[in-house]
Each structure stands twice: as C-alpha cells, then as structure tokens.
Amino acid sequence: MRKYFDEIERIVGNVVTVRATGVGYGELALIHTAQGTSYAQVIRLDGPRVSLQIFAGSQGVSNRDRIEFLHRPMQIPFSDALLGRVLDGSGRPRDGRVDLSGKPIAIGTPPVNPVRRRLPDKMIHTGIPMIDVFNSLVESQKLPIFSVPGEPYNELLARIGLQADADIIILGGMGLRHDDYLKFRRTFEEGGVLGRTIMFIHTAADPVVECLMVPDLCLAVGEQFALQGKRVLVLLTDMTAFSDALKEISIIMEQIPSNRGYPGDLYTQLARRYEKAVDLEGAGSLTVLAVVTMPGDDVTHPVPDNTGYITEGQFYLRNGRIEPFGSLSRLKQRVNGKTRDDHRAIMDGCIQLYALCRESREKRDMGFEMSEWDRKLLKYGELFEQRIMDLAVNIPLFEALDRCWKILAECFEPAETGIRRSLIDKYWPKPRLTTEVREPALAAGS
C-alpha cells in the first residue's frame, strides 16, 4: 500500500520541507502536484522534518500537494544502449530519442575500497605533447584542469575525449552554455566517437538541482562499464559550477556558511566524486579529468584549493596553453619509464631549458645585453612554444619525442643540453648529407 505525506511546511527555492517518518537520507521521492509528478531527493533530516530538493524545480508545487517516498536512492537504467545517448541531469533523454531501459543502478554509491584497487601503471595517450611527454595521464587517475573563464578548456576537454585511447567516454556538463553543449556534440559526431560516448548535460537554463546529479550519474554509469572490463574516461566541466550549486542549496537550507559562503562539507562533497576513480583488479578502469575554473585566477579559491588536496596533481591552462610550470601529474613516473628510454631525459631537459629561456626573456625585457647563450635560449623558447606547447599540435608520443630532439638540435650543441651522452648518441638528429652536383664542363668553343 502506498503511503503519502501531505504536511508540507515550507517551500524555498527548489527545496520543500515536509513532516514525515521512516525516511532515510538520500532517498528518492515523488511529489504529486496538479501538473503531474516530480522527482525529489532527501537532503536533510531534522527529527520529523524532512527536506527534499526537487529535480525539476518547485514551480507549481504547493503545500496542498502529496509526497510519496520510494525508499530507494536515485537510479538510472544501465545497458549498452546508453552509448551514443545525450541525457539531462536527471537521466532523461535530451536527444529526442526513446526513454532509457535496462537494469536500474543506484547513483552516489561509496567509492571502491582502496585496498581492492590496482596500482595505476597504464598510460592514456592523448596526442597532446604537453600531456603525453611532460605530464602523462594515467589510467584511474583523478586530475583537474585549473583555468579561468575565457580559456579554451572545453575545447581541450573535447579534444582529449576525441583522441584518448579509452573504450568509453562519458561527458558530464554542468552549467554549460547551450552553444558549448552543441560544440561538444558536434566534435564527437564529426570525430566518429559519439557511438562510444555518453553525455549527461546540464545547461545554465536547467534547474540548479540537476547540476548536482551530473557527476554522480557519470560516475555510476562509468563504474558499471569498468566492472565489465572497459577503460572509461569521465570528463567533467565545470566542477566550480557544481560547487556553486552546492552553495546555493546550502544557503536555501540556512546552513552555516564556510569560506566564501561555500558549505562546510565542500571537501567531502568533492572527494566523494573524485575518489570514484579506480583501476579494478581483473576488470577495467575509471579515470576522471575535470575542469575547475578559478574566479579571478585565484588558486586559493575554496574550489581549486580543496580540489588540490584530493587529486593527484593538476594541469594549468593559461593563455591557450598547458603551462609547464605548476602543472603536475604525480603518477607520470609510473608510466613514462616504460614508453621509450629517452622519455624522462627529454621531459626533464626540455623543461629546464625552457625555464632558462624565461629568465633570458626577463633579461631582454629589462634591457640587459644578450649573450650568445641567451640568444640560443630565446630561439629555443619560440620553437618549443610553436611546435610542442601549442594546443593545435596533434602528434603521437614517439613523434613528439623526436620533435623535441630536432628542436634541441636546431638551437644547441649536444653538450649544452645536459642530456647524457648515451641518449644523445642514439637519438640526436644526424646531419643530412648533401651531395654536390657539378655541371659538366662545356666543350671548348661551344
């Protein structure tokens, strides 16, 4: 027999408060209104008072409506039919196709016990030299892309999804502009990967509550595919929009604010999502790459600050490039020793020389006299930025390593690079042999 509760005491924003008993935290409910039914989720228990956030918003909800608790968490149907689909923050189709069908799986479940996880040791190739060569992405890693509004972080994320050697790509968009959503979809369609992609999209025009569901939907579906042996890459943008949605809900709930108005459990909320990244023994893996925009380029802002304590490094996207200084993949040492024997030497040598180039640029800008060594460094910096750092560069790892050697050879003598002799003998570009062709002598009198 169904049981309904109709003692709705308060409606503020997308949150309603009702008197009810026998209800659990995170439980799903149906709100029956004159316009139909809406899903809601329990977000607070205060004695007999139960607060729920309504996924579709509280428009049309009155204190005369009835609430039915389903005694289960939020679920989404799971099957291979999810591939190629575009859904919203509640798991409903956004692509105009039929509703989902499959085995229901719960979202927001706890992460895998760390004791049961494999140590990450497999590289994910992206075709982007600043990632593959200098900060390799590793399966089951959780990495943020720190950036600011206006930078091409969504374009970078789409390109990684297009080129990464993963079996399944899951995109979670939070607070996206509609044209950004269309760009993602067009990129994946034209790149031929939409058939192995799942997109959960929340746009800025959608109810704010759905923004909170997007990471959980992505990670729940990704975890199921990983259990089937798939290598899953989850792309999230933007976790600052997710955190702002948390802040908005906490304000409605009249919670005591923490730093800059964010809820005191911001760290826990972020960690619950990032820690779902896992490499499963005898199965697949789940890798999380998330955009975090920094208001005012302030890395001490609560969202990037808390994120940095959870994740295994970060990429800094500034001026349209992945910044080599500050960007760090803490797991790269587990994979870049297995690619090619010159990988680590090139990684270290090129960045050291680029750091010296930065110093020479400062000297030049301050009007100091340039030495021959400074001029070599300046030339090297320009070539390195054009041929390696530019995000338009799209080459495999080994070709990127060879290109680094060519840049070094154009600017320096072998001994000036600081790279050990055995690798220089093996990889230093050999000078091209030119054969002088002489024209035949003309006969006398001709």
Side-chain angles (χ1 to χ4, degrees):
M1 183 180 70
R2 294 184 178 182
K3 187 175 181 179
Y4 298 93
F5 297 89
D6 57 4
E7 295 183 60
I8 296 178
E9 296 183 342
R10 190 166 180 251
I11 303 173
V12 180
N14 296 323
V15 177
V16 299
T17 303
V18 62
R19 283 184 171 271
T21 57
V23 178
Y25 183 82
E27 192 172 307
L28 201 63
L30 277 174
I31 299 181
H32 299 269
T33 70
Q35 287 77 29
T37 58
S38 299
Y39 279 104
Q41 187 177 33
V42 176
I43 59 173
R44 185 178 182 181
L45 298 172
D46 183 13
R49 291 182 177 84
V50 179
S51 297
L52 306 98
Q53 57 184 10
I54 308 173
F55 296 157
S58 60
Q59 185 175 0
V61 178
S62 72
N63 57 6
R64 297 184 299 274
D65 296 329
R66 299 185 303 167
I67 299 177
E68 175 190 0
F69 291 94
L70 304 182
H71 303 294
R72 62 172 175 83
M74 174 73 177
Q75 295 177 332
I76 182 172
F78 173 79
S79 70
D80 288 344
L82 278 169
L83 298 174
R85 296 301 304 270
V86 182
L87 311 166
D88 66 10
S90 294
R92 298 183 299 253
R94 189 183 280 273
D95 51 13
R97 295 164 59 184
V98 298
D99 290 341
L100 298 176
S101 62
K103 175 186 174 183
I105 60 170
I107 73 169
T109 56
V112 175
N113 188 330
V115 176
R116 302 294 302 273
R117 304 182 187 190
R118 263 186 94 255
L119 286 175
D121 60 359
K122 301 173 186 174
M123 179 177 170
I124 297 178
H125 294 261
T126 66
I128 301 173
M130 290 306 295
I131 295 178
D132 291 351
V133 177
F134 299 99
N135 277 297
S136 306
L137 184 61
V138 184
E139 280 190 37
S140 81
Q141 196 167 17
K142 44 188 180 292
L143 271 181
I145 300 174
F146 289 162
S147 188
V148 295
E151 291 286 347
Y153 47 81
N154 284 332
E155 288 81 354
L156 173 62
L157 212 61
R159 185 174 158 201
I160 292 174
L162 192 65
Q163 300 176 179
D165 54 339
D167 298 324
I168 293 174
I169 306 297
I170 302 179
L171 172 69
M174 292 159 279
L176 286 182
R177 295 183 306 174
H178 193 71
D179 56 344
D180 286 332
Y181 150 60
L182 293 178
K183 284 180 184 178
F184 273 116
R185 186 167 179 173
R186 190 182 310 116
T187 299
F188 291 150
E189 283 179 345
E190 295 175 353
V193 301
L194 191 61
R196 58 183 177 93
T197 300
I198 307 168
M199 302 173 67
F200 292 94
I201 301 298
H202 167 268
T203 67
D206 295 332
V208 66
V209 176
E210 293 186 7
C211 181
L212 302 178
M213 308 299 297
V214 168
D216 292 334
L217 288 166
C218 294
L219 296 167
V221 170
E223 190 174 55
Q224 291 299 312
F225 277 114
L227 289 169
Q228 294 181 0
K230 304 294 186 182
R231 303 167 66 211
V232 183
L233 177 61
V234 175
L235 307 173
L236 301 175
T237 178
D238 157 10
M239 290 303 285
T240 302
F242 168 81
S243 303
D244 289 341
L246 284 174
K247 179 167 71 171
E248 184 171 334
I249 296 297
S250 70
I251 291 172
I252 292 173
M253 298 297 296
E254 298 180 352
Q255 296 178 1
I256 297 174
S258 183
N259 190 7
R260 304 197 195 186
Y262 286 92
D265 66 342
L266 177 62
Y267 177 93
T268 303
Q269 295 286 356
L270 294 173
R272 280 181 54 198
R273 278 78 185 181
Y274 283 115
E275 291 297 340
K276 295 286 277 188
V278 63
D279 195 346
L280 297 164
E281 186 71 44
S285 64
L286 179 65
T287 308
V288 178
L289 197 60
V291 169
V292 177
T293 52
M294 302 183 295
D297 200 14
D298 180 12
V299 75
T300 66
H301 184 275
V303 180
D305 185 39
N306 280 278
T307 301
Y309 288 102
I310 301 166
T311 54
E312 296 144 348
Q314 66 281 322
F315 295 142
Y316 281 96
L317 182 63
R318 289 196 177 101
N319 302 317
R321 296 173 178 150
I322 296 177
E323 181 69 29
F325 307 114
S327 296
L328 173 64
S329 169
R330 292 194 178 95
L331 299 183
K332 64 184 177 183
Q333 299 288 357
R334 297 193 58 82
V335 298
N336 58 20
K338 305 173 184 178
T339 52
R340 208 168 79 176
D341 57 351
D342 62 331
H343 189 161
R344 290 183 178 176
I346 283 292
M347 177 182 68
D348 295 339
C350 285
I351 295 301
Q352 288 173 3
L353 290 168
Y354 187 66
L356 294 175
C357 169
R358 289 274 185 95
E359 294 178 4
S360 295
R361 285 177 176 175
E362 290 181 6
K363 289 170 59 180
R364 179 193 61 190
D365 295 342
M366 294 173 67
F368 288 99
E369 183 179 356
M370 293 287 100
S371 65
E372 183 62 29
W373 173 243
D374 288 322
R375 283 188 282 272
K376 288 185 176 183
L377 289 171
L378 293 174
K379 178 183 177 182
Y380 165 77
E382 291 179 4
L383 295 179
F384 186 72
E385 290 174 349
Q386 294 171 7
R387 303 179 187 178
I388 298 295
M389 290 182 64
D390 194 323
L391 288 181
V393 177
N394 177 28
I395 52 178
L397 172 62
F398 288 0
E399 186 177 337
L401 292 172
D402 292 338
R403 182 174 291 189
C404 288
W405 281 110
K406 291 176 182 177
I407 295 172
L408 293 174
E410 286 186 44
C411 303
F412 306 106
E413 296 297 323
E416 294 174 327
T417 62
I419 299 176
R420 62 182 182 271
R421 172 57 63 180
S422 60
L423 292 177
I424 287 178
D425 292 342
K426 185 175 181 180
Y427 293 106
W428 194 264
K430 303 297 187 291
R432 293 183 179 179
L433 297 176
T434 57
T435 304
E436 184 178 353
V437 180
R438 296 186 179 183
E439 295 185 10
L442 296 176
S446 61

